[in-house]
Structures are given as structure tokens and as C-alpha cells.
Amino acid sequence: NGRNGLHTVALNRQLAENPEFFCEALGIVYLPAKKAKQIKKDRLKYPLSEAEELRAQNVWRLLEHWTRVPGTTSNDSFNGVIFKRWVKVVFAKARKMDLIRPARMVLAHVLIHAPADADGFWMPHEVAELMEMRTNVDMLESYRIAKFNSRGVQFVDKGMKKDLASADQCRKMAE
């Protein structure tokens, strides 16, 4: 309903503007890597109360539907300085929490919503620089999957018009 829509907008903004809030959300949904590895190794179940499970599901939905890119200003323009500052804080905190991989994956998912750069490049240069770093290879893969999935369900087009148009668009973006 409309009331929940307002909450979603506010929470989307909070995720994009408050790196601590984003990391807190990650901590609710994801286990630290070492703990997850140990649980998997020992084939243990990670018990959650009903309330914890519901909370984790709701926060996961919030992260899954998050569209406001960090660095987006109040007038909906993109500020690369703010973006870089947000990423620096998130990555430092996520490393301490042993959640760096989920942080990069979730961030990559929202970056498909990044606007074109002011010079016409198909994404802000700060975003491209972040994803091109060798330490962020998993971000590229998460971005690719999110971008592909954002197309929704596709049906076979015998003339392949949509696919050819999409391929042309991707070639232009890659140039």
C-alpha cells in the first residue's frame, strides 16, 4: 500500500546515504564468511527464532529491491565523491564484519540503476573504476547477472529484433 511505499523510499534512501545502515542490513541477512564456512563444514543448522527469520526475510527483500545508488544526491544527480566515500566506509566495515563478498554482490546489484555519466558514458566513471579493480571481480559477475535478470522473462523472437537491438546497445556501451 501507499504507506509501505513511503517506508520503502525512506529505507532506499537510508541504504544509499548511510553506510552503517547498509552494513547493519548485511549483518542481518548474511553470516560472516568464516562462520558460514564452519557451519557448512560441520553440516550444522543455523537456528533462528521466528522473529529473526522474519526480520532477515524483510531485510533481504529490502536489499533485493534497493534501487537508489549510493552517491545519488537530493536532486537525483550522481556525486562521485559521495559515492567513493560511501564505498570506502562500507568496504572497511564489511571487511571487519567478514562480509566483504556479500557487500560487493549487493552493491553490484544496485549499480545497474546507476545513471549515465555527465560526459555521456553509460555509467558514472567512479562506478566503472570500482568494478574494474582486480579485487572486485565478483562485483562484475554480480553486475552482469543483475543486468541480465533485469530484462525479465524473455520470449523467443524469431526475427531476433529485440536481441539484435540489445546487442547493438551493449556494443555501443562497451566502446
Side-chain angles (χ1 to χ4, degrees):
N1 63 33
R3 189 166 164 249
N4 286 338
L6 290 175
H7 290 292
T8 303
V9 169
L11 291 171
N12 253 281
R13 178 169 270 128
Q14 188 72 358
L15 285 168
E17 295 175 2
N18 185 340
E20 288 80 14
F21 180 74
F22 173 75
C23 289
E24 183 181 339
L26 286 178
I28 292 168
V29 176
Y30 296 95
L31 288 173
K34 288 177 185 159
K35 189 172 192 173
K37 209 179 259 187
Q38 188 63 41
I39 288 171
K40 187 176 180 180
K41 178 184 167 199
D42 296 341
R43 297 181 183 194
L44 300 174
K45 298 273 186 207
Y46 188 73
L48 291 175
S49 70
E50 191 174 319
E52 290 170 323
E53 190 172 329
L54 183 61
R55 182 178 185 214
Q57 289 172 352
N58 287 332
V59 174
W60 181 86
R61 280 188 203 99
L62 174 66
L63 293 173
E64 181 70 13
H65 297 286
W66 178 33
T67 58
R68 188 173 183 88
V69 176
T72 303
T73 63
S74 58
N75 66 355
D76 290 331
S77 63
F78 182 81
N79 182 312
V81 173
I82 294 170
F83 173 76
K84 285 182 172 184
R85 188 178 322 129
W86 186 95
V87 168
K88 184 177 181 179
V89 171
V90 163
F91 282 12
K93 189 163 178 85
R95 278 188 192 89
K96 286 180 185 173
M97 296 170 69
D98 199 17
L99 294 172
I100 189 65
R101 189 162 191 266
R104 288 193 299 245
M105 289 171 37
V106 173
L107 177 57
H109 184 87
V110 77
L111 291 178
I112 68 167
H113 302 287
D117 198 80
D119 67 5
F121 189 64
W122 64 282
M123 69 169 40
H125 291 286
E126 296 84 357
V127 172
E129 289 167 11
L130 175 69
M131 290 203 298
E132 287 178 348
M133 294 173 67
R134 279 196 280 181
T135 55
N136 296 333
V137 173
D138 50 347
M139 277 188 78
L140 281 173
E141 182 63 11
S142 294
Y143 181 89
R144 185 190 68 76
I145 291 168
K147 192 71 169 169
F148 182 81
N149 289 343
S150 72
R151 294 177 61 198
V153 175
Q154 300 291 309
F155 296 95
V156 176
D157 174 13
K158 291 182 182 177
M160 295 179 52
K161 291 175 188 160
K162 284 185 181 178
D163 290 328
L164 291 172
S166 179
D168 284 342
Q169 182 184 10
C170 289
R171 274 191 217 90
K172 287 176 186 171
M173 290 184 337
E175 292 174 353

